[in-house]
């Protein structure tokens, strides 16, 4: 028989108390400045990964992992830049206000 760990037992009780909320999606308030800071961090991480990949032997496992990592970071950056560009509903609202071309 294994002795009970008090912190583990407490965390299980907390998790069971939160079980009805397991289906809810957690939300976080993020400002455009936060997104810009994240893009800056991701660009630096991508640049560093590119520098390491350039120094790694061709065809190595490290090169293939870094290539996939760089591709993933580039995808994340493009999605964050899209979010910073503007919201589609604002574009729709502004399109209705314009008068037709003659």
């Amino acid at each position: 028989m294994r002795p009970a760990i008090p912190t583990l037992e407490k965390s299980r009780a907390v998790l069971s108390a939160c079980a009805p909320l397991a289906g809810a999606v957690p939300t976080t308030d993020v400002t455009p400045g936060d997104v810009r800071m994240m893009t800056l961090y991701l660009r630096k991480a991508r640049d560093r990964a590119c520098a390491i990949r350039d120094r790694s032997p061709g065809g190595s496992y490290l090169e293939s992992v870094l290539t996939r990592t760089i591709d993933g970071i580039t995808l994340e950056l493009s999605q964050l830049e899209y979010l910073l560009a503007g919201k589609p509903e604002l574009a729709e609202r502004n399109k209705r206000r314009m008068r037709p071309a003659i």
Side-chain angles (χ1 to χ4, degrees):
M1 180 170 196
R2 197 172 46 157
I5 302 170
T7 56
L8 185 59
E9 294 301 321
K10 187 184 293 185
S11 66
R12 286 184 187 156
V14 171
L15 289 176
S16 64
C18 296
L21 300 176
V25 177
T27 59
T28 305
D29 293 330
V30 179
T31 64
D34 294 338
V35 176
R36 285 187 192 92
M37 183 64 73
M38 180 57 72
T39 58
L40 177 67
Y41 171 78
L42 287 173
R43 281 190 192 106
K44 287 182 179 183
R46 182 184 60 186
D47 293 344
R48 186 167 178 170
C50 287
I52 294 170
R53 182 186 60 182
D54 292 342
R55 292 190 305 264
S56 67
S60 67
Y61 178 71
L62 177 63
E63 182 191 21
S64 64
V65 168
L66 286 172
T67 300
R68 290 192 307 267
T69 301
I70 291 167
D71 292 342
I73 291 173
T74 303
L75 176 66
E76 290 295 325
L77 279 169
S78 65
Q79 291 173 349
L80 290 173
E81 289 168 359
Y82 174 77
L83 289 174
L84 283 176
K87 298 189 180 195
E89 63 267 7
L90 293 177
E92 291 290 326
R93 191 175 348 158
N94 291 337
K95 190 184 336 180
R96 285 187 235 129
R97 287 191 203 168
M98 295 177 67
R99 56 190 176 101
I102 298 176

